[in-house]
Amino acid sequence: MTELSIGDVARRTGLSVHALRFYEREGILTTPVRRNSGGRRLYGEEHVDWLTLCTFLRASGMPLPEIRRYTELVREGRGNEAERLELMRRHQELLARQIARLGECMDLISHKVRVYEDIVSAADPGYECVGPGPVQD
């Protein structure tokens, strides 16, 4: 069994040592972290894998209480896959809406970039860009 220090896990997951301790206190790990005779935490590869998943869930906007609930379901084992699926589907739908909104934002920003590129290339100081399109004084 691989034994990793908290520093090793921090480096591998990109989480701070503080965040790792926080996740442990908050019940975000599916298995307990062992301690050596000196009281230092000993992580395994399963912790790294789980924390990596949690990092992706957080980066995608999943709130900590939902990650905690998901962790509880996984910890309980088989038999609650329907609830896990529902949790993931809800988050997937939220992400789909966010991605669509970001697409709209990107379209507007791309339009603004083209407008300003045209203005700069034409060197026409008579344009002022306000709102969704160019406005001429």
Side-chain angles (χ1 to χ4, degrees):
M1 173 193 274
T2 304
E3 293 182 342
L4 303 166
S5 71
I6 196 167
D8 294 334
V9 175
R11 280 186 291 282
R12 292 199 35 204
T13 62
L15 294 167
S16 68
V17 168
H18 175 75
L20 291 170
R21 289 183 185 125
F22 174 78
Y23 274 28
E24 184 179 355
R25 275 193 317 274
E26 291 296 312
I28 304 298
L29 299 173
T30 55
T31 59
V33 177
R34 295 182 324 105
R35 305 271 181 149
N36 67 12
S37 59
R40 296 188 183 271
R41 289 171 173 84
L42 297 174
Y43 294 86
E45 289 296 331
E46 72 279 3
H47 294 112
V48 173
D49 293 344
W50 182 256
L51 289 162
T52 300
L53 170 63
C54 291
T55 301
F56 275 91
L57 294 175
R58 283 295 295 146
S60 69
M62 183 178 278
L64 201 54
E66 284 190 39
I67 294 174
R68 185 179 302 110
R69 179 62 186 143
Y70 183 65
T71 302
E72 290 166 358
L73 293 169
V74 170
R75 199 180 298 129
E76 289 171 11
R78 296 183 63 134
N80 58 27
E81 289 82 2
E83 192 174 347
R84 293 184 214 183
L85 174 61
E86 183 57 31
L87 190 148
M88 286 296 167
R89 277 188 176 153
R90 278 193 315 267
H91 191 62
Q92 183 182 41
E93 290 168 9
L94 173 72
L95 282 177
R97 287 192 303 273
Q98 289 175 339
I99 289 168
R101 181 67 177 150
L102 285 172
E104 293 169 358
C105 294
M106 180 61 94
D107 290 345
L108 177 62
I109 291 167
S110 295
H111 169 76
K112 292 299 201 182
V113 165
R114 286 189 303 276
V115 167
Y116 284 118
E117 286 172 342
D118 290 346
I119 292 169
V120 168
S121 68
D124 183 353
Y127 280 91
E128 182 178 331
C129 195
V130 179
V135 175
Q136 195 167 16
D137 290 330

